[in-house]
């Protein structure tokens, strides 16, 4: 008897199935994070105050920075930060009108201060007597000039504001301009935006060059 030799056809022979993924590429080994999770990881962590004292300190620092920012805005004349008495185009016109002129009222305090200093210097008796006489005579003269200048400024500003802003409320604008004209230029609030003569005040920007306020 001849043994029947089992022949395996080519179709029945086992062929290894190819891996759809190349063996050389390693898997990530973890699921892809969601967009919200990825954005959350990129954000810097927020550190809560350690105790109540630390929270109060942070609150004070925030308030201080906010007050400094508001004061800076008021000094440069930002309408949103100004008090109610300084807001509006009429008040701005009055400020610019006064700041663009050299008026006697702004020299009242410096003159009085200089004369008071001179009166305290131990001059010889004749010089000291002359200084005291100058102080006695000049003070009433300066006060009369200041009052006359204040009345002039109040009337002139109110008249020009009425012509420039018809229909606007002009209540108190003359007194507002007169009070500003009696102050030293450095002490005026908000700060002047124009120089004597009408030219805009120049400021230095962050690059160190000069620019004009608008």
């Amino acid at each position: 008897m001849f043994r029947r030799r089992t022949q395996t056809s080519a179709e029945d022979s086992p062929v290894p199935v190819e891996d759809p993924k190349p063996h050389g590429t390693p898997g990530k080994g973890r699921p892809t994070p969601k967009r919200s999770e990825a954005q959350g990881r990129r954000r810097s962590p927020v550190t809560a105050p350690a105790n109540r004292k630390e929270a109060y300190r942070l609150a004070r620092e925030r308030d201080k920075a906010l007050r400094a920012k508001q004061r800076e805005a008021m000094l440069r004349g930002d309408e949103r930060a100004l008090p109610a008495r300084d807001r509006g185009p009429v008040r701005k016109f009055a400020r610019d009108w006064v700041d663009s002129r050299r008026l006697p009222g702004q020299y009242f305090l410096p003159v009085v201060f200089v004369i008071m200093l001179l009166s305290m210097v131990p001059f010889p008796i004749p010089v000291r007597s002359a200084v005291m006489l100058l102080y006695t005579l000049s003070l009433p003269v300066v006060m009369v000039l200041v009052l006359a200048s204040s009345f002039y400024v109040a009337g002139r500003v109110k008249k020009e504001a009425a012509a420039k802003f018809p229909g606007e409320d002009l209540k108190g604008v003359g007194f507002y301009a007169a009070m500003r004209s009696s102050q030293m230029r450095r002490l005026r609030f908000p700060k002047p935006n124009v120089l004597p003569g009408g030219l805009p005040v120049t400021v230095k920007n962050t690059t160190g060059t000069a620019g004009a306020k608008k």
Side-chain angles (χ1 to χ4, degrees), residues 89-174:
V90 177
R91 298 303 173 98
K92 185 179 186 306
F93 169 78
R95 292 195 300 270
D96 292 344
W97 193 97
V98 172
D99 296 337
S100 63
R101 290 163 174 81
R102 298 185 186 276
L103 301 166
Q106 69 187 80
Y107 301 109
F108 174 72
L109 289 179
V111 169
V112 172
F113 182 71
V114 169
I115 295 176
M116 289 181 63
L117 286 180
L118 290 176
S119 66
M120 291 185 292
V121 176
F123 290 118
I125 294 178
V127 178
R128 186 176 181 85
S129 299
V131 171
M132 294 303 297
L133 180 62
L134 176 64
Y135 176 77
T136 304
L137 295 178
S138 61
L139 187 60
V141 173
V142 173
M143 291 183 65
V144 169
L145 288 176
V146 170
L147 287 175
S149 174
S150 298
F151 279 109
Y152 168 77
V153 169
R156 186 69 181 274
V157 168
K158 191 170 183 178
K159 182 179 179 180
E160 293 190 16
K164 189 176 180 64
F165 303 98
E168 290 285 344
D169 184 14
L170 303 179
K171 183 179 180 181
V173 66

Side-chain angles (χ1 to χ4, degrees), residues 17-55:
V17 180
E18 295 183 358
D19 192 351
K21 294 183 180 180
H23 293 284
T25 306
K28 291 189 295 183
R30 55 183 175 81
T32 303
K34 297 180 180 179
R35 180 178 297 179
S36 59
E37 296 176 354
Q39 291 177 350
R41 291 174 185 173
R42 286 197 297 267
R43 295 171 184 166
S44 58
V46 179
T47 304
N51 48 44
R52 182 175 296 180
K53 183 177 180 180
E54 180 72 12

Side-chain angles (χ1 to χ4, degrees), residues 4 6 27 31 38 45 60 64 66 78-79 82 84 94 106 110 114 117 119 126 148-149 156 170 178 186 214:
R4 186 176 295 176
T6 304
R60 286 195 300 268
K64 183 178 179 181
L66 181 60
D78 191 343
E79 286 284 335
L82 289 177
Q106 69 187 80
V114 169
L117 286 180
S119 66
S149 174
R156 186 69 181 274
L170 303 179
R186 290 181 176 272
K214 296 183 179 179

